Amino acid sequence: MQMTKTLGEFIIDCQAEYPEATGALTNIFSAIRLAAKIVHREINKAGLVDITGAAGLENVQGEQQQKLDVYANDKFKAALAARGDVCGIASEEEEEYVYFEEGHSPDGRYVVLMDPLDGSSNIDVNVSVGTIFSIYRRVSPVGQPVTAEDFLQPGDQQVAAGYVIYGSSTMLVYTTGNGVNGFTFDPSLGVFYLSHPNMRIPQEGKIYSINEGNYINFPAGVKKYIKYCQEKDAATNRPYTSRYIGSLVSDFHRNMIKGGIYLYPPTHSHPNGKLRLLYECNPMAFLAEQAGGKAVAGPDQRILSLQPTELHQRVPLVVGSTTMVEKVESFLREDQ
Ligand code: AHG
Ligand code: MN
Ligand code: MN
């Protein structure tokens, strides 16, 4: 594959199409690109340096923080704070949202929400992890401290969203509402190249991704869907294939390329599912829709239309190939 356009060139080309653009988004992407390279470098040293394992702390959701959770959070936060365009962030690893006040520009017009390291239980076993980000324009007055309202915006207000996957290669995949593009990192040059222009999720797929260990606790409609996936039917190309990495970024990325569906339904221990609306579900839903797919929390409950109420709010997620998501919705509807 000939890769000629870099991420930097691509962003500048896109900006040129909007004469009114201030370059703020370009700066934010530069910050994300830099932090992604730093985290890439550290992840690739896992096993060689003391970066695997627990940090000995819990995050606000009572989850064990891994050393790389903390490291990635620090690097993305610092890179974003160093640009004058972001006035605050919210993160899985921060209890409250953070206002970039001292030494930085409080005049920034954007806020960023992020899951700095997604799938962190995979780090110690050399399996792909990711970073997820979501960018909004602030709604409170510029120059004032950020407010909860800046972060609690429905997903359809996202200006941009994306993820970095630290896999067999490192990729940055993002959307600004004009399709989805993927860039592969060449570590020898330190450059991301446009490798996956205009990514589209196949309308139908053959892969279903769900933690089946929770089967007994799933809603009846989800149980029926899993059995549907496993039944033999030549006309619909069943049985499907089950693939579950346990890193939303990795499962989503594979399904986007090959066609498939990812589900994290409610369970007894997690009655609203496990995934967080603001920095996991919304960015993935934006990417899914921009790639021609679909993302819902339940039948007719479009993720991007949900009004958030809390920073670390959880919500069930069904995302992927449109036909498959609609099949799940129909099974769930039968049991309502
Ligand atoms: P994180 O590492 O950021 O806490 O996210 C983990 C999430 C998601 O990436 C993954 O799909 C899911 O949790 C896996 O959960 P289970 O182990 O319960 O299946
Ligand atoms: Mn996560
Ligand atoms: Mn995480």
Side-chain angles (χ1 to χ4, degrees), residues 220-240:
V222 173
K223 287 182 177 170
K224 283 184 196 158
Y225 181 70
I226 292 175
K227 287 299 150 209
Y228 170 86
C229 293
Q230 297 169 344
E231 281 160 13
K232 201 166 180 306
D233 179 51
T236 50
N237 214 6
R238 286 179 290 150
Y240 294 160

Side-chain angles (χ1 to χ4, degrees), residues 92 115 117-120 211 244 246 248 262 264 274 276 280:
E92 179 186 349
D115 177 354
L117 207 81
D118 174 66
S120 51
N211 185 343
Y244 190 72
L248 171 64
Y262 175 99
Y264 209 110
K274 182 181 169 193
R276 278 57 56 109
E280 290 179 317

